[in-house]
Amino acid sequence: MLPVRTAEAPINIALIKYWGKRDAQLNIPTNDSISLTLESLPEESPASLPQPEGGETAMRLRTVTTVRFAAPCDPADAKDDDCLVLNGVASVPNSRIKRCLGYIRSIRTLPRVSIESWNQFPTAAGLASSASGYAALVRALSELVTPPLTEQEASIAARLGSGSACRSLPSGIVRWRAGDLPDGSDSLAATIWPVEHWPELRCLVVVLCGEAKGVSSAEGMHRTVLTSPLFPGRLQTLPYRIDLLGQALEERNFAVLAELVMRESNQLHALCLDSFPPIRYLDQRAYALIDAIHALNATQPRAAYTFDAGPNAFVLCEAPHVDRVRRTIEDALSSSGPLHIIVCRVGAGARIVHSE
Ligand code: PMV
């Protein structure tokens, strides 16, 4: 029987952001980034959260992908492309999937494959993440080929699909090193602290908007690198910020971590506004959340927000403060539109869940 591999992969949230490429074809970043691999905790998330069929699994903010060696999708099709089914809909592999598969085929024998991928996100979450998608695909493929891909090879393959996807392969707290080599062979993501390092750390994923972002992250970072006069200054000061963040993580110092994480998010969105034409990912509700978190922190730092290329917020706190932080967010935002909060902890990276 032909082998089949199913893998699942989580989302990740960057504390130090990937924003800028030194090689756009290879997705090699201008700077190191640091992220948390996230695992949702259904028992700490409100029961009111709408879920697609699948019940509890729907809360998991993961992509599940099955790959198998395939007969041609259409025997009359001379191109003999790989087959792709995304959330139940037949689709054509895009250039990023092709780049990812092309790399694997350059180092292993890999005949045509059929790929079936499901995003396990709450309906209308707007969180369907390319990071979990490419990480699940690569983890499944890495065990389909012989010999299996090394961790470094898997990291490169995931990065070629979507830069931040290489950070969804490892567990725990992850650093993606930009590397120096022109071919990107040293631009790799790896765990810097395991899941158990900071068991109390939580991330509330605050879903404010289910709509796709207007400017893709690829276009946004390209525009920033080309047009933002502030961008070179960011690259100069980042190594210092990364050192400080590393120290805060090492010492599990939430107050220091919180300030660094919020400043980093604010800098990303300042760079977006400094790009020309300007890019805006945050909206009024995102700014209301920012104000509410600063008000909450007035006496003692309890929470830290961070935003990627969209208005959905990721709010860090420690376990004893989850309820208070959640109430703060609900008080600030529930009157201005739908709001879903999913509580996560730092968790496991991509893994094989089924083999035949
Ligand atoms: O991996 P991409 O191309 O979707 O870029 C991700 C960029 C940010 O999410 C905004 C930042 C990050 O480091 O994840």
Side-chain angles (χ1 to χ4, degrees):
M1 201 171 67
L2 290 173
V4 180
R5 298 286 181 272
T6 301
E8 59 173 38
I11 59 168
N12 72 77
I13 179 63
L15 308 182
I16 297 289
K17 306 293 185 186
Y18 153 49
W19 198 253
K21 306 183 194 204
R22 76 174 154 86
D23 186 313
Q25 275 310 304
L26 300 176
N27 285 344
I28 306 175
T30 48
N31 55 270
D32 291 14
S33 53
I34 295 180
S35 59
L36 307 178
T37 299
L38 295 182
E39 183 171 315
S40 52
L41 293 167
E43 70 278 11
E44 289 188 27
S45 299
S48 62
L49 187 74
Q51 298 175 28
E53 336 65 86
E56 192 248 315
T57 55
M59 302 285 288
R60 304 185 64 210
L61 301 178
R62 291 193 157 224
T63 302
V64 177
T65 297
T66 298
V67 291
R68 64 188 89 221
F69 294 131
C73 307
D74 173 1
D77 184 354
K79 288 204 303 303
D80 239 17
D81 275 345
D82 299 297
C83 304
L84 173 66
V85 178
L86 254 184
N87 296 324
V89 180
S91 183
V92 180
N94 63 23
S95 59
R96 298 156 79 188
I97 295 180
K98 286 186 175 154
R99 204 157 53 181
C100 187
L101 290 166
Y103 167 72
I104 297 174
R105 290 192 167 112
S106 73
I107 55 173
R108 297 286 190 285
T109 304
L110 179 65
R112 282 185 71 258
V113 284
S114 138
I115 303 162
E116 192 183 333
S117 194
W118 293 87
N119 284 326
Q120 297 187 329
F121 299 103
T123 342
L127 280 170
S129 161
S130 58
S132 58
Y134 287 99
L137 173 64
V138 167
R139 177 51 74 231
L141 286 168
S142 69
E143 297 292 324
L144 194 71
V145 295
T146 314
L149 297 185
T150 64
E151 285 312 303
Q152 286 84 351
E153 289 166 340
S155 193
I156 292 169
R159 159 169 57 80
L160 290 169
S162 173
S164 58
C166 66
R167 296 191 317 239
S168 276
L169 287 173
S171 302
I173 304 176
V174 174
R175 181 166 183 165
W176 172 17
R177 292 183 187 274
D180 300 309
L181 299 173
D183 68 355
S185 53
D186 60 347
S187 183
L188 304 168
T191 301
I192 48 174
W193 280 284
V195 171
E196 314 75 52
H197 175 70
W198 195 340
E200 300 276 271
L201 195 59
R202 293 288 181 273
C203 178
L204 278 61
V205 180
V206 183
V207 182
L208 296 173
C209 164
E211 279 158 38
K213 53 194 171 219
V215 179
S216 71
S217 43
E219 161 58 21
M221 54 182 98
H222 179 65
R223 200 184 295 174
T224 299
V225 173
L226 279 185
T227 66
S228 163
L230 293 179
F231 184 68
R234 163 173 170 79
L235 293 186
Q236 273 175 11
T237 52
L238 253 187
Y240 179 60
R241 178 173 285 171
I242 290 175
D243 280 355
L244 290 180
L245 186 90
Q247 223 173 306
L249 287 166
E250 164 96 59
E251 294 164 0
R252 294 182 281 271
N253 184 333
F254 188 79
V256 175
L257 176 90
E259 180 166 338
L260 289 167
V261 165
M262 291 187 282
R263 283 184 180 274
E264 171 67 4
S265 174
N266 294 340
Q267 185 170 89
L268 166 69
H269 294 280
L271 285 170
C272 288
L273 275 185
D274 189 46
S275 304
F276 199 81
I279 308 157
R280 279 174 307 154
Y281 290 121
L282 305 186
D283 59 12
Q284 281 315 312
R285 298 183 86 202
Y287 287 114
L289 181 141
I290 289 174
D291 289 345
I293 298 295
H294 283 290
L296 171 74
N297 286 349
T299 42
Q300 217 180 339
R302 291 288 187 223
Y305 54 80
T306 182
F307 296 84
D308 282 342
N312 293 321
F314 295 77
V315 180
L316 303 182
C317 65
E318 290 186 290
H321 308 299
V322 164
D323 287 341
R324 174 128 181 248
V325 173
R326 180 160 47 203
R327 269 200 312 278
T328 301
I329 298 168
E330 285 168 352
D331 288 350
L333 297 177
S334 51
S335 62
S336 58
L339 173 70
H340 306 303
I341 299 176
I342 303 157
V343 183
C344 299
R345 67 174 175 88
V346 179
R351 62 194 181 98
I352 295 287
V353 290
H354 184 73
S355 296
E356 279 171 28

